[in-house]
Amino acid sequence: MSRTIIIGAGPAGLACAGALSKKGIPFQILEKSNHIAASWVNHYDRLSLHTIKELSHLPHLPFPEEYPEYVPKNLLLEYYQKYCDHFNINPIFNAEVQAIQEKEKEWQIFCANGQTYSSHSIIICTGFNRIPNIPNWAGKASYTGSIMHSKDYKNATQLPGNSVLVIGMGNSGAEIALDLSLNNKEVDLSVRGPVNIVPRDFLGNPTQKTAKNLAVLPTFIGDRIGRVVQFLSMGNLRKYGLRPAKLFPAQQLREYGKTPVIDLGTVNQIKKGAIQVRPGIDRFDEENVHFKDASSKSYDHIIMATGYHSKVEEFAPFVKDHLNSHGHPGNLILRKDENKQACFVGFNAYASGLLESIHEQAIEVAEHLATT
């Protein structure tokens, strides 16, 4: 029996492993894929962190000084491997957890490869992005053009033809639309509702730092200053088909754990007419996408940047009654008794960026397990 089992070898799982190593607590990591940070490996090529490196590294090992302020995907993956080497982290790969059962004095963990593990403590780090959200619009099954989820998009070269519809303007949708536009694709961006968009940098300063400075003020003051910064940097986007959200950007993160769209150039492409904003989807037919404004258009490719579900309860049914209003585990430490601990890291970004939150939570969990 292992004292602690970590489920998932993404940033949260690695952070927990590093924090436990620092405390001298033995552990095993179970990872369903065949490599660390699988989601980052599979993300689109142009991806880089939207948060500054000082607030995005894992516990007890900062990024190398020579890394840029916003770490690109290739260097991030290099860093994660160095982190594993530094803390001697060796995940068990191809070990997808299918079920966790609660016994009197232990957790039993059943994997798809037939292996079974047991431990007194588990740390679930499977993240927000475990299961792609695939909407089922009317007529979608009959559409003859290509449709993919954003998780399968790498770069524009994989899409022959010219016209592309990106559905959804979260951070992935906005950046994929930008990537396609800069690679001379004809891009439409379907935006079904109001959006909060902020610049990555404002007047030469990272917006993340500005937001942290504003966070020390009373919320009614900080939120309104944030709105002024937002308007000065973005302008009035209504005439381009983008409706502003009523929530302040920081309020949206604080209350819903939903990061505003961090703009890297998509807004400029929209203003130039290189990206056309469309409303939400109504239905499909064999050749066309029909929008909520009664317009329609045919595309060579459709990319659904429609998000993910965490769905932890699918393999850990004891979590079902402890999910928050967004469907994610609502507690850092869910169970605490004489025999068993269950912790959840990487499901809370309500007060800061996700990687900063992971850093803080991993250290807190390690401190907790060191004293139990």
Side-chain angles (χ1 to χ4, degrees):
M1 179 188 296
S2 175
R3 177 175 172 182
T4 301
I5 287 181
I6 301 168
I7 301 171
L14 298 182
C16 290
L20 291 178
S21 291
K22 200 74 172 177
K23 291 288 185 182
I25 300 174
F27 63 87
Q28 287 182 316
I29 301 185
L30 305 180
E31 166 55 42
K32 70 177 182 179
S33 73
N34 61 0
H35 44 70
I36 61 169
S39 292
W40 283 93
V41 170
N42 294 326
H43 274 313
Y44 47 92
D45 294 343
R46 70 166 285 127
L47 182 65
S48 65
L49 293 182
H50 295 168
T51 52
I52 57 177
K53 67 178 182 179
E54 301 97 294
L55 299 176
S56 303
H57 64 83
L58 302 184
H60 312 301
L61 189 68
F63 285 115
E65 287 187 13
E66 65 271 18
Y67 276 27
E69 185 79 287
Y70 298 102
V71 180
K73 172 183 170 180
N74 64 316
L75 290 181
L76 185 66
L77 294 174
E78 179 183 283
Y79 165 77
Y80 287 151
Q81 185 57 58
K82 289 178 179 177
Y83 194 84
C84 287
D85 296 341
H86 182 83
F87 288 105
N88 194 30
I89 299 169
N90 297 292
I92 299 172
F93 293 115
N94 301 306
E96 180 177 4
V97 174
Q98 289 190 316
I100 301 175
Q101 292 183 4
E102 183 178 1
K103 302 297 183 181
E104 183 180 354
K105 295 184 178 181
E106 66 184 28
W107 302 99
Q108 285 197 334
I109 301 158
F110 300 88
C111 294
N113 61 9
Q115 295 295 310
T116 302
Y117 301 88
S118 61
S119 70
H120 293 306
S121 302
I122 54 174
I123 310 175
I124 296 178
C125 301
T126 49
F128 288 121
N129 296 351
R130 196 174 78 87
I131 304 294
N133 177 43
I134 309 291
N136 189 27
W137 294 285
K140 190 183 78 171
S142 68
Y143 188 69
T144 54
S146 79
I147 304 178
M148 69 169 68
H149 191 271
S150 58
K151 74 179 183 64
D152 297 314
Y153 176 78
K154 295 295 185 294
N155 56 60
T157 62
Q158 75 188 98
L159 303 180
N162 188 51
S163 60
V164 185
L165 173 66
V166 179
I167 302 175
M169 194 180 181
N171 278 298
S172 291
E175 192 163 358
I176 288 171
L178 174 63
D179 189 49
L180 291 165
S181 176
L182 295 177
N183 283 279
N184 300 312
K185 298 293 186 181
E186 179 187 311
V187 185
D188 285 3
L189 181 57
S190 173
V191 185
R192 68 176 181 174
V195 288
N196 250 324
I197 308 174
V198 298
R200 188 182 67 177
D201 301 276
F202 182 66
L203 300 179
N205 296 308
T207 300
Q208 186 185 19
K209 284 186 176 179
T210 301
K212 289 187 77 66
N213 290 334
L214 293 177
V216 303
L217 300 172
T219 54
F220 73 93
I221 297 176
D223 284 348
R224 282 158 179 78
I225 294 175
R227 180 73 89 199
V228 172
V229 170
Q230 184 181 37
F231 183 79
L232 291 175
S233 58
M234 296 290 112
N236 183 359
L237 299 179
R238 285 184 179 275
K239 60 184 177 182
Y240 303 102
L242 295 172
R243 290 178 288 152
K246 292 182 180 179
L247 290 174
F248 300 108
Q251 181 187 15
Q252 177 179 296
L253 179 63
R254 195 168 58 241
E255 296 182 6
Y256 295 96
K258 185 177 179 182
T259 306
V261 177
I262 300 173
D263 182 53
L264 304 179
T266 306
V267 169
N268 186 53
Q269 291 296 96
I270 290 172
K271 290 178 176 179
K272 288 168 53 178
I275 297 173
Q276 297 292 323
V277 175
R278 294 274 190 166
I281 308 299
D282 181 57
R283 61 186 174 87
F284 287 71
D285 61 32
E286 290 185 359
E287 297 182 354
N288 297 285
V289 180
H290 296 262
F291 298 96
K292 291 291 187 180
D293 64 353
S295 66
S296 63
K297 187 174 176 180
S298 178
Y299 298 91
D300 296 319
H301 305 282
I302 294 173
I303 300 173
M304 297 181 295
T306 46
Y308 297 82
H309 302 289
S310 57
K311 294 288 186 183
V312 175
E313 67 277 13
E314 288 186 346
F315 64 88
F318 62 89
V319 182
K320 189 173 182 180
D321 295 330
H322 301 277
L323 301 176
N324 63 22
S325 59
H326 314 300
H328 309 304
N331 302 90
L332 182 61
I333 300 167
L334 179 60
R335 296 288 183 94
K336 184 173 67 173
D337 61 37
E338 190 175 316
N339 298 310
K340 301 185 302 296
Q341 311 288 321
C343 307
F344 299 85
V345 173
F347 298 94
N348 184 333
Y350 302 101
S352 61
L354 179 59
L355 289 174
E356 184 182 6
S357 174
I358 283 171
H359 183 289
E360 294 171 352
Q361 289 184 330
I363 291 176
E364 186 174 345
V365 163
E367 293 280 355
H368 168 73
L369 294 180
T371 59
T372 56

